[in-house]
Amino acid sequence: MSSYPVNLELSGQPVLVVGGGPVAARKVAGLQSADARVTVVSPSAVREISADPDIRWLARPYQPGEVASYRLAITATDDPAVNAEVRSDGDKANVFVNSADDPSNCSFTLPAVARRGDLQITVSTGGRSPGLARWLRQRLEGQLSESYDELLVLLTEARAEARALFGTSEIAGWDTALNDGLLELVQQNRITEARERLWDHLGLRAQGVLA
């Protein structure tokens, strides 16, 4: 069954992680990078969790129904019964649940993510093979040089100009500009030339921008 990919805004949102081992710690780290407010429920926890003052750790088993107090939940336990209970509670409370290495108890899956600054490329296999997703992510990370981040800055500037001038950034020219050697110009540090070429493709210079 096809999934619907999204990027969630979790800043300041309460998120539950059930489990306190190394896998849970990795999940917590990812949630913290998104500025979520993380609560961990587990009788024991690795030091990355127990010693972090920014994590609310409840040293006890999961209690029936408590997932309803959160926007999102992740289980990272080796007990399928607990995973199934959290998933069932989540379905009843309209809270999405991910179960690490337990796709039958997931209402959403987590892609592998390659990052360069604000640029993110995600790889998903629909939960079928996390190993393949990680492998592809590593290959993509090796190709993301700093030039991509610099290119993103130019595109962000152009988008703001387009929205100010035309009322929308959904205009023609983005694809043709990117296919016209913008990245190569940035890689050669020819930033001004790259900006002018981008503005030309978007019709911004014709409107007096960068004149």
Side-chain angles (χ1 to χ4, degrees):
M1 184 169 56
S2 298
S3 59
Y4 187 71
V6 299
N7 289 324
L8 296 178
E9 175 54 66
L10 292 178
S11 179
Q13 297 299 318
V15 178
L16 174 67
V17 175
V18 181
V23 174
R26 290 197 296 272
K27 302 300 183 182
V28 168
L31 292 166
Q32 287 182 310
S33 69
D35 294 325
R37 292 192 292 113
V38 181
T39 295
V40 173
V41 170
S42 177
S44 61
V46 296
R47 182 168 177 77
E48 292 92 332
I49 293 173
S50 63
D52 189 335
D54 293 327
I55 299 172
R56 179 179 174 236
W57 173 37
L58 304 180
R60 57 166 174 76
Y62 174 79
Q63 296 178 348
E66 68 176 305
V67 73
S69 298
Y70 300 87
R71 295 295 299 274
L72 199 75
I74 295 177
T75 62
T77 79
D78 57 3
D79 188 342
V82 173
N83 299 342
E85 182 179 16
V86 178
R87 166 67 193 274
S88 177
D89 288 347
D91 288 346
K92 295 173 184 175
N94 293 320
V95 176
F96 285 106
V97 176
N98 173 266
S99 295
D101 202 27
D102 188 0
S104 64
N105 284 310
C106 290
S107 54
F108 75 96
T109 58
L110 293 168
V113 182
R115 289 185 174 90
R116 167 62 70 175
D118 287 332
L119 178 63
Q120 297 186 25
I121 300 176
T122 60
V123 182
S124 174
T125 60
R128 295 179 62 194
S129 177
L132 176 59
R134 284 195 302 271
W135 180 75
L136 285 172
R137 183 259 299 168
Q138 290 167 358
R139 289 173 65 89
L140 290 168
E141 281 182 335
Q143 300 177 34
L144 292 179
S145 66
E146 291 183 4
S147 298
Y148 282 90
D149 202 31
E150 296 170 359
L151 177 61
L152 180 58
V153 171
L154 289 182
L155 294 169
T156 302
E157 293 175 354
R159 185 185 183 208
E161 292 288 353
R163 292 181 69 178
L165 191 60
F166 304 120
T168 178
S169 62
E170 299 296 322
I171 60 176
W174 294 105
D175 290 346
T176 56
L178 287 165
N179 285 322
D180 194 20
L182 285 189
L183 179 61
E184 289 76 10
L185 289 173
V186 172
Q187 289 171 332
Q188 298 166 20
N189 202 34
R190 296 158 63 184
I191 305 301
T192 298
E193 186 176 346
R195 180 180 288 107
E196 291 174 349
R197 186 173 299 185
L198 173 59
W199 260 240
D200 283 338
H201 276 284
L202 298 177
L204 295 175
R205 283 222 290 179
Q207 300 294 324
V209 181
L210 286 184

